[in-house]
Amino acid sequence: MKVKDSNPPDGGYGWVVVVSAFMVMGLTAAVLKTFGLFFVEIQQHFDELASTTSWITSVTIAIFHLGAPVASSLCVRYTHRAVAITGGLLAFSGMALGFLGLNMVWMYATTGFLQGLGISFSWTSAISIVSHYFSKKRALANAVASAGECAFAFTFGPFFQWLISQYGWKGALLIIGGIQLNICVCGVLMRPLASSCLLEASYSETETPPGNGASMIDKEDKSPITHKTFNWMLVRQPEFVLYAIFGILAAMSFFVPPLFLVPLSYSLGIDESWTASLLSILAMVDFAGRLLCGWYANLHVTKTVHLLTMTITLISTSLMLLPLANNYLSLAIFTGFYGFFFGTTVAVHITVLADVVGMPDFDSALGLFMLIRSTGGFVGPPLAGLIVDMVGDYRAGFYMAGATLVLSAGFLVTLDQLQQRKERGSQTNIKPEKSTLSYPSLHLLKLQ
């Protein structure tokens, strides 16, 4: 397949890719986020326990994370376009087959496994190709793309509820599956973009490029073609390991507030109609935070890892303050702070990953990061629930989430210190080489 450019265009057709990724985020992550609307309907239809029905969502989330390395390796081996289209077809198949509703195991296999794999393939390929198309504006592009999750989640709630009331939960699944076929259209728009490493590899395999042949031999020796193979050795890089640990701790916290926000509001005696508005506030400020932080990061005033450390600190602070709310107004304000800073974090954390590992290994790093981070998502909510049961207060869950985020920020600080130490070391090694090279010329000047 013919590729277009050798360097990230940082604009132009790249914005078409961003819009496509925006749509994919909405048709994957937003669908997963609002799938809870089907919970009671499916539970009543099969007359099953809540714990049995909840496994549908659990399987979807698990496959979403576990499928990320597979999706990343397929992006490396083939193209992001092919993986995104495949994901759209899988997502549609999961919903369409779920329409049959044969039994609970059937729902696990269709709306659980197939839907989760489709979301994983589509989401991973979309967020990855955006980072390939942008360099200087990468943070802004990632922020705009990720905002699709908030925009669609805000509208999908009432829309899905209307579909269920009009067509039943089975008919709603089939219609949503048809809507998810638009992922394939978005995938077609994800035009492959060559990288400089791929061009160098093609030169070494076919012909000698313009210039000195000796320099080409050096390039062949120094550039392993990481684009053609999935790089599992990233787990040996200290920088990636530190960032992965941060991801685990952050995921332990991020899944907790949405889980306990509604029960906390009920415990404060807030009416159900007002409680529902908290989720809308959360989606709106999350959307604003992503766009604003993406714009600010694009100015390159602050190093991205420093910006991420600051947003994580602010999230933990807002989570520590949120339990102090004693009425709807104070709870809405603290929820708004949490949602805004959560959006700022989502806007830059993928950009930081690209900065840590470099673009040649980014596809591999994204898959591994998602896989490793999934452990935090699995451990966090049950641990918070255990603490809440022990204390007997939903506030304890928020304190646990805030404390865990403070710990995760420590790993970001360690990562930044390690990067700075390596930068200083490389600068120190360069200086003697310059002085040695300049010495003969100075000596000749003295002889003259």
Side-chain angles (χ1 to χ4, degrees):
M1 183 177 294
K2 186 178 179 180
V3 287
K4 300 300 295 181
D5 298 306
S6 60
N7 295 312
D10 264 315
Y13 191 81
W15 293 115
V16 176
V17 175
V18 169
V19 173
S20 300
F22 179 93
M23 298 291 293
V24 171
M25 295 300 108
L27 295 171
T28 55
V31 170
L32 179 59
K33 184 178 289 187
T34 53
F35 192 77
L37 293 170
F38 290 87
F39 184 87
V40 176
E41 302 290 335
I42 296 176
Q43 181 185 6
Q44 292 178 350
H45 177 82
F46 291 106
D47 192 24
E48 293 283 357
L49 297 173
S51 57
T52 304
T53 309
S54 65
W55 273 104
I56 298 175
T57 304
S58 298
V59 170
T60 308
I61 295 174
I63 298 301
F64 169 50
H65 286 89
L66 296 176
V70 179
S72 295
S73 62
L74 290 175
C75 287
V76 173
R77 184 67 179 84
Y78 301 102
T79 63
H80 299 83
R81 170 186 284 172
V83 177
I85 294 174
T86 303
L89 294 174
L90 287 170
F92 164 73
S93 300
M95 288 296 197
L97 292 173
F99 162 78
L100 300 176
L102 301 181
N103 50 53
M104 192 59 69
V105 175
W106 178 263
M107 300 304 296
Y108 296 157
T110 55
T111 56
F113 181 83
L114 285 179
Q115 176 71 193
L117 195 61
I119 290 176
S120 182
F121 277 30
S122 305
W123 186 94
T124 304
S125 58
I127 205 68
S128 175
I129 196 170
V130 168
S131 294
H132 281 283
Y133 259 89
F134 289 85
S135 178
K136 295 180 181 178
K137 299 178 182 178
R138 184 176 295 146
L140 177 61
N142 278 325
V144 173
S146 68
E149 175 185 341
C150 307
F152 277 73
F154 184 75
T155 57
F156 272 176
F159 177 57
F160 286 5
Q161 194 69 60
W162 179 81
L163 286 177
I164 294 172
S165 64
Q166 293 294 316
Y167 304 100
W169 69 269
K170 291 185 178 181
L173 284 182
L174 184 61
I175 294 172
I176 294 170
I179 294 173
Q180 285 184 306
L181 277 176
N182 287 288
I183 295 174
C184 299
V185 179
C186 297
V188 171
L189 295 175
M190 295 176 185
R191 192 165 62 190
L193 179 69
S195 68
S196 55
C197 287
L198 275 176
L199 288 181
E200 289 174 11
S202 63
Y203 273 132
S204 64
E205 292 173 359
T206 58
E207 58 181 342
T208 303
N212 192 344
S215 63
M216 189 63 237
I217 295 174
D218 293 337
K219 288 183 180 180
E220 292 175 23
D221 292 338
K222 293 179 180 178
S223 58
I225 308 168
T226 54
H227 287 266
K228 291 188 176 182
T229 57
F230 192 87
N231 187 7
W232 294 97
M233 292 299 102
L234 285 169
V235 294
R236 295 185 178 181
Q237 293 185 11
E239 295 91 338
F240 177 78
V241 172
L242 287 171
Y243 197 69
I245 296 174
F246 153 76
I248 294 174
L249 295 172
M252 286 179 63
S253 305
F254 288 160
F255 289 95
V256 172
L259 185 64
F260 294 121
L261 182 60
V262 172
L264 176 63
S265 67
Y266 288 159
S267 67
L268 295 176
I270 299 174
D271 187 72
E272 289 185 12
S273 58
W274 288 102
T275 299
S277 67
L278 291 175
L279 301 178
S280 299
I281 292 172
L282 197 62
M284 288 189 294
V285 295
D286 185 357
F287 181 82
R290 297 187 192 211
L291 295 183
L292 185 60
C293 187
W295 168 80
Y296 177 78
N298 189 58
L299 300 177
H300 301 287
V301 176
T302 307
K303 192 176 177 181
T304 52
V305 67
H306 294 167
L307 184 60
L308 181 59
T309 305
M310 181 174 64
T311 60
I312 287 294
T313 304
L314 290 171
I315 291 180
S316 62
T317 302
S318 64
L319 286 177
M320 293 292 191
L321 293 174
L322 193 145
L324 300 179
N326 54 11
N327 53 46
Y328 173 79
L329 180 60
S330 57
L331 186 60
I333 291 174
F334 289 133
T335 298
F337 279 122
Y338 162 73
F340 180 82
F341 294 129
F342 175 79
T344 59
T345 299
V346 174
V348 296
H349 82 286
I350 295 296
T351 303
V352 175
L353 177 62
D355 294 339
V356 168
V357 301
M359 286 313 300
D361 287 323
F362 176 72
D363 290 315
S364 301
L366 180 61
L368 286 174
F369 179 74
M370 288 288 293
L371 177 64
I372 296 171
R373 190 184 71 169
S374 66
T375 58
F378 295 147
V379 173
L383 178 61
L386 178 62
I387 294 175
V388 168
D389 290 337
M390 292 173 60
V391 178
D393 192 341
Y394 289 111
R395 294 179 176 86
F398 292 93
Y399 289 130
M400 178 279 247
T404 307
L405 279 178
V406 171
L407 182 60
S408 72
F411 285 91
L412 288 178
V413 173
T414 305
L415 169 63
D416 180 51
Q417 293 295 321
L418 179 60
Q419 289 180 320
Q420 291 185 15
R421 190 180 303 117
K422 285 193 172 184
E423 289 175 2
R424 288 193 297 266
S426 62
Q427 291 174 357
T428 305
N429 293 333
I430 291 173
K431 287 180 181 180
E433 293 178 5
K434 289 184 177 180
S435 62
T436 304
L437 291 172
S438 60
Y439 175 78
S441 58
L442 292 172
H443 181 66
L444 289 174
L445 288 173
K446 287 181 181 179
L447 291 176
Q448 291 176 353

